[in-house]
Amino acid sequence: MRFSPIAQISRSALNHNVARLQQVAPHSKIMAVLKANAYGHGLVQMAQWLKGIDGFGLARIEEALALRDSGINARMVLLEGVFSEADLEQAASHQLDVVIHDAEQVALLCQAQLSQPLRIWLKIDTGMHRLGVQPDEFAALYQQLTESTNVQQPLNLMTHFAVADELENPQTVKQIQCFNRLTAQLPGERTLCNSAGALSWPAAHGDWIRPGLALFGGNPMVGGRAAGQQLQPVMTMRSKVLAVRDLAAGEPVGYGQSWRSNNATRIAVVAMGYGDGYPRHAVSGTPVLINGQRYPLAGRVSMDMITVDVGSAKVQVGDDVVLWGQGLGVEEIAECASTIAYELLCSTTARVAYEYID
């Protein structure tokens, strides 16, 4: 019996979420965002399972080259772009789409000596203020790119939402209006929507949506739960109970003795800690599933273990534990640790074994 964490990855859940996204954006292609090791799910395996998808969004060229080396021939978009002529040539030779988000990248591209022209996405900063050309420089840079022999025509256009997860915030409407004003009557494909945009802003779906977290069953909306969006968790983080201890009333558990039992109880020690990717700042009371029943975390998270108050329940060594996933949303665990689901999924460490359920 294995007494260490296993990340079970479900192909059926992934297929369900793709179908759900196709349902909410029926007239858009899907650019599956697989950055950060496919949000902790395994880059190459997820790309292989998503062979029927329209394309992939990746943060860096190394991710795209890893997929090309594995035999994936789908369309791939480098969301952060590239920063050298050598990388531009690699992108051209491997037929990668490149995002351009500032004037320096435009100049680099236009001056480069490339073996073939690149498919380019010009990113506009409509309010995120992270990457993207400013609205007042857009026309001039767009003109330079349309005149460059290094660019496949027509040029494609994109932006990124800052607060699409907040439905009452007027900023998303302003961003949509800004993008539409700048790009009206221009040719080429368009993409505006991340997961939150895809689920909640249908007027902005455009030619492509770019789901990341939603693809893997997380709800990106503020205070949301995946079940509310009819999404299924692709990752279920499992482990085992490795010890059970009796505790008298008033006795503490763990580092700092920050938690003490109110009554005589039993403590289950679970093989999972921050060394595996469980959030160290998860508070006492954070739910844990043991044999399908919810019990509260008791005391601080250790590197290799957590302790759970199981009361008088008949919990035994070797019993099954779910830390998040099927039956326990990763969003709820993230809230208990004052973080977001994205961080939990991406923080899974190399100590965790992966089990792909096809």
Side-chain angles (χ1 to χ4, degrees):
M1 184 180 294
R2 185 184 179 92
F3 281 80
S4 56
I6 297 176
Q8 289 185 335
I9 311 297
S10 168
R11 185 170 190 170
S12 65
L14 184 68
N15 289 339
H16 169 90
N17 296 336
V18 170
R20 174 61 181 154
L21 288 161
Q22 290 170 333
Q23 182 183 40
V24 300
H27 305 297
S28 302
K29 299 176 184 177
I30 294 179
M31 185 188 302
V33 177
L34 301 186
K35 60 185 180 179
N37 195 31
Y39 288 63
H41 291 71
L43 173 65
V44 173
Q45 184 68 58
M46 292 299 95
Q48 290 174 341
W49 276 3
L50 289 166
K51 282 182 179 177
I53 214 78
D54 300 294
F56 300 117
L58 304 156
R60 295 164 187 169
I61 193 168
E62 293 82 5
E63 296 170 334
L65 295 179
L67 292 185
R68 285 287 189 252
D69 288 344
S70 71
I72 303 294
N73 296 316
R75 189 169 175 181
M76 299 181 192
V77 181
L78 300 179
L79 297 172
E80 293 180 4
V82 295
F83 302 92
S84 71
E85 184 169 337
D87 283 347
L88 282 171
E89 177 53 38
Q90 273 201 307
S93 62
H94 288 89
Q95 296 184 316
L96 306 176
D97 290 27
V98 175
V99 171
I100 295 291
H101 54 72
D102 61 30
E104 289 76 12
Q105 287 181 318
V106 172
L108 176 67
L109 174 62
C110 292
Q111 296 165 11
Q113 300 295 316
L114 301 180
S115 59
Q116 57 186 304
L118 283 161
R119 189 152 43 193
I120 295 297
W121 295 80
L122 181 58
K123 186 170 189 175
I124 307 168
D125 179 7
T126 57
M128 181 73 169
H129 301 322
R130 190 177 62 179
L131 295 178
V133 302
Q134 295 302 308
D136 60 1
E137 63 179 349
F138 167 73
L141 295 176
Y142 180 89
Q143 185 66 27
Q144 291 181 48
L145 291 171
T146 57
E147 295 173 353
S148 173
T149 57
N150 283 334
V151 178
Q152 289 186 32
Q153 302 298 332
L155 193 62
N156 303 305
L157 302 163
M158 71 185 305
T159 193
H160 192 72
F161 293 141
V163 290
D165 55 337
E166 302 175 19
L167 292 178
E168 304 304 319
N169 194 317
Q171 176 64 21
T172 301
V173 172
K174 293 179 181 179
Q175 287 192 252
I176 295 170
Q177 291 173 341
C178 178
F179 183 84
N180 289 342
R181 174 175 55 82
L182 291 170
T183 64
Q185 309 305 317
L186 295 178
E189 297 181 306
R190 288 160 169 73
T191 178
L192 298 84
C193 288
N194 54 7
S195 288
L199 292 170
S200 302
W201 298 91
H205 281 165
D207 299 294
W208 293 78
I209 58 172
R210 308 188 308 273
L213 185 69
L215 191 69
F216 301 111
N219 188 344
M221 308 308 294
V222 170
R225 292 284 186 271
Q229 293 289 352
Q230 301 174 47
L231 300 170
Q232 296 178 4
V234 175
M235 176 191 291
T236 296
M237 185 66 72
R238 294 185 180 274
S239 192
K240 298 288 184 182
V241 174
L242 59 85
V244 180
R245 302 180 59 85
D246 292 319
L247 227 62
E251 287 194 299
V253 171
Y255 289 116
Q257 299 187 333
S258 61
W259 182 91
R260 291 178 182 271
S261 58
N262 293 324
N263 307 291
T265 191
R266 303 176 79 221
I267 293 293
V269 183
V270 176
M272 179 72 175
Y274 62 78
D276 306 296
Y278 195 82
R280 182 178 178 273
H281 298 293
V283 298
S284 293
T286 300
V288 177
L289 290 185
I290 301 179
N291 298 328
Q293 299 296 314
R294 289 169 67 108
Y295 300 101
L297 189 71
R300 293 182 184 172
V301 175
S302 300
M303 182 182 291
D304 312 306
M305 292 169 277
I306 59 172
T307 45
V308 181
D309 182 7
V310 298
S312 59
K314 294 181 179 180
V315 172
Q316 301 176 1
V317 171
D319 281 353
D320 184 61
V321 179
V322 170
L323 290 313
W324 63 72
Q326 199 67 39
L328 185 61
V330 66
E331 303 94 345
E332 185 174 1
I333 309 307
E335 288 172 9
C336 291
S338 299
T339 186
I340 55 176
Y342 299 81
E343 183 178 13
L344 262 63
L345 296 173
C346 293
S347 295
T348 303
T349 73
R351 300 201 317 176
V352 175
Y354 279 71
E355 181 182 353
Y356 290 95
I357 304 171
D358 192 342

